[in-house]
Amino acid sequence: QAEAASGNAARAEGLLVAFAARRTLERGSPLGYLEGQLKLRFANAQPNAVESLIEASANPVTLDMLEQGLHALEPALARGTGANDTWTRVREQFSNLFVVRRVGTPSPAPERRLERARMFLESGRVAAAVGEIERMPGASAAADWLEQANHYVRAQRAQGVHQIADRPL
């Protein structure tokens, strides 16, 4: 019974460390003492995930930061390349004049893509928002935002570390 209690206590401590790390990263704060605990408890089982979490805490990105960044980029994203060449602008206008798509397929219009990206961000689905932004006419203007969003997605995937806390040590 003592061994079973010890194993349960170790798993509970692992879960507490994992959830504390998740909350710390969601707030955009550095891990602090949790960094050592993550290495101690999870580095052998999932070294890449632990390194991703430590990297994410060194340069934190929060969902609020991504939402604010997207809001600031909205004019540049919808505008397109902003090419000064008249022929390029005319070609862009004509390419958007008629759009043929299947019923039920999401609209490729920049305004609709932007709405979906905002909705995805609000619901925490950052990878889906990245997909929408990458297909927008002004995606090149959002290179920094896309890098931050992908950094956030990697950190979220790495937070799956808490799942291994359920396994026996």
Side-chain angles (χ1 to χ4, degrees):
Q1 287 178 347
E3 285 181 28
S6 174
N8 288 338
R11 280 190 290 280
E13 288 175 2
L15 282 170
L16 284 174
V17 168
F19 286 125
R22 169 177 245 152
R23 288 195 53 177
T24 302
L25 286 173
E26 285 174 353
R27 283 185 273 143
S29 302
L31 285 173
Y33 75 93
L34 292 171
E35 182 177 331
Q37 288 294 314
L38 284 172
K39 286 180 181 178
L40 177 70
R41 296 185 182 280
F42 303 113
N44 290 337
Q46 290 192 348
N48 293 336
V50 171
E51 284 303 313
S52 293
L53 289 174
I54 292 170
E55 178 187 326
S57 75
N59 187 11
V61 176
T62 64
L63 202 52
D64 289 337
M65 291 168 64
L66 291 174
E67 288 175 359
Q68 290 171 358
L70 182 60
H71 181 69
L73 287 170
E74 286 178 8
L77 286 170
R79 188 173 40 238
T81 59
N84 293 331
D85 180 22
T86 305
W87 177 247
T88 305
R89 284 186 302 204
V90 169
R91 194 172 48 194
E92 283 179 3
Q93 291 293 323
F94 276 116
S95 70
N96 292 325
L97 194 57
F98 295 102
V99 178
V100 179
R101 60 186 169 90
R102 293 182 191 266
V103 174
T105 304
S107 172
E111 298 82 21
R112 300 294 165 249
R113 284 195 188 280
L114 202 49
E115 285 176 19
R116 286 193 301 269
R118 264 190 257 116
M119 181 189 65
F120 287 141
L121 276 180
E122 289 171 3
S123 65
R125 297 173 55 200
V126 178
V130 166
E132 291 293 338
I133 298 301
E134 286 176 336
R135 290 187 289 281
M136 293 203 54
S140 60
D144 290 338
W145 185 90
L146 288 168
E147 184 179 325
Q148 286 184 336
N150 285 321
H151 181 74
Y152 180 88
V153 169
R154 284 191 303 274
Q156 293 299 309
R157 286 187 182 138
Q159 288 181 22
V161 166
H162 73 277
Q163 294 171 354
I164 65 169
D166 291 333
R167 298 183 199 145
L169 299 176

